[in-house]
Amino acid sequence: MAVVAQLSPSSYTETTRLSSSQLSLSSTHLSSLRRRAFRPIIRPRNPTISCSVNQVQAPVAVEQDDPKSKTNDCYGVFCLTYDLKAEEETKSWKKMVNIAVSGAAGMIANHLLFKLAAGEVLGPDQPIALKLLGSERSLQALEGVAMELEDSLFPLLREVKIGINPYELFEDAEWALLIGAKPRGPGMERAGLLDINGQIFAEQGKALNAVASRNVKVIVVGNPCNTNALICLKNAPSIPAKNFHALTRLDENRAKCQLALKAGVFYDKVSNMTIWGNHSTTQVPDFLNARINGLPVKEIIKDHKWLEEGFTETIQKRGGLLIKKWGRSSAASTAVSIVDAMKSLVTPTPEGDWFSSGVYTNGNPYGIAEDIVFSMPCRSKGDGDYELVKDVIFDDYLRKRIAKTEQELLAEKKCVAHLTGEGIAFCDLPEDTMLPGEM
Amino acid sequence: MAVVAQLSPSSYTETTRLSSSQLSLSSTHLSSLRRRAFRPIIRPRNPTISCSVNQVQAPVAVEQDDPKSKTNDCYGVFCLTYDLKAEEETKSWKKMVNIAVSGAAGMIANHLLFKLAAGEVLGPDQPIALKLLGSERSLQALEGVAMELEDSLFPLLREVKIGINPYELFEDAEWALLIGAKPRGPGMERAGLLDINGQIFAEQGKALNAVASRNVKVIVVGNPCNTNALICLKNAPSIPAKNFHALTRLDENRAKCQLALKAGVFYDKVSNMTIWGNHSTTQVPDFLNARINGLPVKEIIKDHKWLEEGFTETIQKRGGLLIKKWGRSSAASTAVSIVDAMKSLVTPTPEGDWFSSGVYTNGNPYGIAEDIVFSMPCRSKGDGDYELVKDVIFDDYLRKRIAKTEQELLAEKKCVAHLTGEGIAFCDLPEDTMLPGEM
């Protein structure tokens, strides 16, 4: 089984580069009981810059050396000694949260990190530690990102650690936002992309399994994100499968916007928007259950031909159109949709509404095949968890399209069997279903 | 007098391209009384995409055509008809604010716009209209930006207008964030840059004078920003000179971070940080008045040689170092510093503290030459206005350095006399004082 992630210089996506010996060590299956004991052995000793946190509380008039001379494992001002106890008491701050981000030197992360650090997602009383995972190639760029985070003086940002080893960066992570993935090179088959990126997510799953919080919420953004999320959760057996998400929120947001545009209403009037299935061209934006001003979409938009034919295509072509206009892929709005996905898990879902997320299908009430990651309608109490929405309706059109994206995900699953511990891979993926404008 | 802004394809900065006939028309000096009558004549009729706002309030089950077919002057979902009255009443929202941003297709704006739209600056009850000014060359990219803003479903964002005509985009603007400027080409003298960018800001000053809110707050980011701000305010005689700012907040933030690093404290312990003078290498980060944990910096940092020699250089070299590491100039942290600058004007300054901004020197209590734009310590009641801080101290070292940056700004002013209505320009700028890493 070849498990070496070969990375060539790429555009905005970033990931880890591990040697095959490191991977063969870390691919040892570890039970959650054994993982602590094994940790020193399985950690590849790659360069990492991290921060330790202690205290100089009162102002002390002493000349101090450059902190870097004392320790080589922290970044800039975030190496400095300070105590959050004071803030926790005087400002009623919560306990610090570790957020790990892969592909951290890329453009999506460049938008996302500054939102996280500004408290836009978790609120003004939540101190944050950012653990930035990049590749050897992007380590310098990661330093640049850390410098800009320093210069931004975010009061809530208390730790920044950069590095290329997920076993170090994911330690005690409460959130893992897995953006980094290898972009598809010229002439590369979708099966090849599944294999190469699958290996990255298998490795990151193992790292999460070994060192992350047992409560970690994982949002997979790197494509093909559904199957990457499946691989990741299969390699992290001691973390609940329910904690893994594949991002379909940008698709949901775009679908809401296009329905609003067609109906002539502002986008905040569109609710109950489900994206079913794979984050690919087989995705199913559900206009049967979606509502505009509380009414079924079909009662507001009478152009049903457009709903059945133009609507989905318009959403899917948006990424490609954006690259044509803007010259780059949609980094800012993707980052916003990650923020939305996180907020949806930590905020109670408004009464009667729901959101979409690619989640594990076991126990789903829709009759969708078990043991895949499929975008479905979810509600949350705001505790980080979610439940699937039961009161949705289906018609033949919706059923047929859901079956198609389900078949695709089952085929993708067979194609990565070697990465999920289910035997020998068999790839039969005739169609190219990558979304235009995505790598 | 040559007043044609010749723009070549550039990196991330954007600006307007106007024909000489348009400029000669619009350079007519208009009194505030005459400006409304003149408006139709002075507006160059360049392509602009804008939005009108009316209302479809209750859900209406009608088939609707593409809104674009009805009007060609609005962008996507922001063309749609809706009524803010409902939100103003039910959600206690404030009256919508127009924010104009130049260089809106560039990287700094790409970070800033999403922060503004998310309500990060003006709060969760402030609906926002974004007026995005670009160049003919960047109009497609601006569409891409507007598409990503649509796809982000920001509830507060109620209007997006894109175009290349400041007379249309600045209409009723309460904020004008002037980021767009021509980057210095190979072999271009600083005097040449002052002239070319000065013309852009003269034109934008005239446009603000003609159509913006009389209360508009202008933050000039495009370099050389102090003198650009001076040119801008001189061309907008009916707007108070006090309303114009040149951004030195990133310098202030970087200075705070470096002092914190040296002192071994977290950056939130550094206060009272002034940047004096020009946003150039002659800038003076003031460690005499700055405080760490409430104590004078010199009592905490005993390495006075570093303060006098290393400190300023470290701050100034940061932009260049960042380009080396990250491969791009500091877009994200610059956007954060613009957010900081805006917040400082709409939030009461914490007791005993202050912030830096490049502002008009008339009436300053420090003995600095009048009639230039100079970064100085400011306090605000949070009403959008500011007052200069009186209780600052000076020593010979500080006085000497302030005098140097003052001389530079006076020389720059002479060099743009043709753009401020003060006669014939005379340029004597021997030194290259552009900050490394800036265009």
Side-chain angles (χ1 to χ4, degrees), chain A residues 61-62 64 80 105 107 143 148 150-151 154 157-158 263 265-267 299-300 318 325-326 328 333, chain B residues 61-62 64 80 105 107 143 148 150-151 154 157 263 265-268 299-300 318 325-326 328 333:
Chain A
V62 287
Q64 217 164 318
L80 293 173
M107 285 311 292
E143 270 191 72
E148 285 209 80
E150 279 187 296
D151 290 345
F154 292 116
L157 184 61
R158 293 297 163 140
V265 300
F266 198 59
Y267 42 58
E299 288 180 30
I300 307 290
R318 201 141 167 96
K325 297 272 187 198
W326 166 228
R328 301 170 226 217
S333 55
Chain B
V62 288
Q64 217 165 317
L80 293 172
M107 286 309 293
E143 270 192 72
E148 285 210 80
E150 279 187 296
D151 289 346
F154 293 116
L157 184 62
V265 300
F266 198 59
Y267 42 58
D268 64 349
E299 287 180 32
I300 307 289
R318 199 139 170 100
K325 298 272 187 198
W326 166 227
R328 301 167 228 219
S333 56

Side-chain angles (χ1 to χ4, degrees), chain B residues 211-363:
Chain B
V211 299
S213 159
R214 299 303 89 185
N215 195 35
V216 64
K217 302 297 183 289
V218 183
I219 300 181
V220 176
V221 180
N223 282 318
C225 66
N226 291 56
T227 298
N228 287 342
L230 180 71
I231 293 166
C232 200
L233 74 86
K234 289 284 181 182
N235 284 278
S238 69
I239 295 167
K242 213 183 171 181
N243 293 16
F244 291 78
H245 297 260
L247 187 80
T248 54
R249 188 55 169 266
L250 182 56
D251 307 302
E252 177 187 332
N253 288 356
R254 287 174 171 171
K256 280 183 167 178
C257 185
Q258 293 308 311
L259 286 180
L261 198 54
K262 186 72 177 176
V265 300
F266 198 59
Y267 42 58
D268 64 349
K269 301 291 183 280
V270 185
S271 65
N272 304 82
M273 185 71 233
T274 313
I275 302 292
W276 294 96
N278 202 359
H279 178 71
S280 76
T281 57
T282 65
Q283 66 179 220
V284 186
D286 176 356
F287 52 83
L288 184 66
N289 289 286
R291 291 177 172 260
I292 297 174
N293 274 313
L295 293 175
V297 166
K298 281 181 159 181
E299 287 180 32
I300 307 289
I301 297 171
K302 297 295 189 187
D303 184 354
H304 294 176
K305 187 167 180 289
W306 178 82
L307 284 174
E308 294 190 0
E309 291 168 20
F311 172 51
T312 305
E313 199 185 25
T314 305
I315 300 163
Q316 290 176 351
K317 287 200 169 160
R318 199 139 170 100
L321 182 61
L322 199 97
I323 286 195
K324 211 172 137 193
K325 298 272 187 198
W326 166 227
R328 301 167 228 219
S329 58
S330 51
S333 56
T334 303
V336 168
S337 76
I338 298 170
V339 166
D340 289 345
M342 292 177 75
K343 277 187 179 168
S344 286
L345 292 172
V346 297
T347 319
T349 310
E351 184 64 35
D353 203 0
W354 62 66
F355 60 90
S356 300
S357 187
V359 291
Y360 195 51
T361 49
N362 280 19

Side-chain angles (χ1 to χ4, degrees), chain A residues 29-293:
Chain A
H29 192 90
L30 299 172
S31 77
S32 64
L33 286 170
R34 284 161 67 205
R35 70 187 174 83
R36 292 281 161 190
F38 263 81
R39 206 191 300 172
I41 301 167
I42 62 174
R43 281 194 193 184
R45 306 309 305 173
N46 285 325
T48 298
I49 301 174
S50 68
C51 290
S52 60
V53 181
N54 283 303
Q55 170 56 0
V56 177
Q57 184 68 293
V60 192
V62 287
E63 189 171 335
Q64 217 164 318
D65 296 325
D66 183 346
K68 284 205 176 179
S69 66
K70 290 182 197 154
T71 164
N72 60 1
D73 70 346
C74 59
Y75 195 81
V77 80
F78 301 108
C79 304
L80 293 173
T81 51
Y82 60 88
D83 185 9
L84 276 171
K85 279 273 176 292
E87 269 86 358
E88 278 170 31
E89 283 159 21
T90 59
K91 298 182 191 167
S92 312
W93 277 13
K94 296 175 188 164
K95 195 170 165 289
M96 185 155 72
V97 157
N98 291 311
I99 307 178
V101 179
S102 79
M107 285 311 292
I108 296 170
N110 200 241
H111 282 270
L112 180 63
L113 295 171
F114 289 79
K115 286 168 184 294
L116 293 168
E120 213 186 292
V121 184
L122 300 176
D125 57 352
Q126 179 59 69
I128 283 166
L130 289 176
K131 310 298 174 76
L132 310 184
L133 179 64
S135 61
E136 244 171 76
R137 188 176 52 76
S138 72
L139 204 54
Q140 284 250 326
L142 278 186
E143 270 191 72
V145 173
M147 283 171 69
E148 285 209 80
L149 286 168
E150 279 187 296
D151 290 345
S152 297
L153 310 182
F154 292 116
L156 293 165
L157 184 61
R158 293 297 163 140
E159 246 189 89
V160 173
K161 189 170 167 174
I162 67 179
I164 65 173
N165 179 355
Y167 286 86
E168 290 181 11
L169 275 299
F170 291 173
E171 195 162 341
D172 299 321
E174 298 285 340
W175 292 90
L177 311 173
L178 305 183
I179 303 170
K182 185 171 172 13
R184 186 162 58 163
M188 190 189 285
E189 298 280 328
R190 186 163 164 84
L193 189 72
L194 272 166
D195 181 55
I196 284 185
N197 279 328
Q199 289 172 35
I200 294 165
F201 286 88
E203 180 57 22
Q204 294 185 358
K206 289 185 178 74
L208 289 167
N209 199 55
V211 300
S213 160
R214 298 304 88 183
N215 197 36
V216 65
K217 302 297 182 289
V218 184
I219 300 180
V220 177
V221 181
N223 282 321
C225 67
N226 292 56
T227 298
N228 287 342
L230 181 70
I231 294 166
C232 200
L233 74 86
K234 288 285 182 180
N235 284 277
S238 69
I239 295 167
K242 214 183 169 181
N243 293 16
F244 291 78
H245 298 259
L247 187 81
T248 54
R249 189 55 169 267
L250 182 57
D251 306 301
E252 178 187 333
N253 288 356
R254 286 174 172 172
K256 281 184 166 177
C257 184
Q258 292 308 311
L259 287 180
L261 197 53
K262 187 71 177 175
V265 300
F266 198 59
Y267 42 58
D268 64 349
K269 300 291 183 280
V270 185
S271 64
N272 305 81
M273 186 69 233
T274 312
I275 301 294
W276 295 96
N278 203 1
H279 177 72
S280 76
T281 57
T282 65
Q283 66 178 222
V284 187
D286 176 355
F287 52 83
L288 184 65
N289 289 285
R291 289 175 173 263
I292 296 174
N293 275 313

Side-chain angles (χ1 to χ4, degrees), chain B residues 58-117:
Chain B
V60 192
V62 288
E63 189 171 333
Q64 217 165 317
D65 295 324
D66 185 346
K68 285 205 173 177
S69 65
K70 291 181 199 156
T71 165
N72 61 1
D73 70 344
C74 59
Y75 195 82
V77 80
F78 301 108
C79 304
L80 293 172
T81 51
Y82 59 88
D83 185 10
L84 276 172
K85 277 274 175 291
E87 271 84 358
E88 278 170 31
E89 282 157 23
T90 59
K91 298 181 189 168
S92 313
W93 278 12
K94 296 175 188 163
K95 196 170 165 290
M96 186 154 71
V97 157
N98 291 312
I99 307 179
V101 179
S102 79
M107 286 309 293
I108 295 170
N110 200 240
H111 282 270
L112 180 62
L113 294 170
F114 289 79
K115 287 170 186 292
L116 294 167

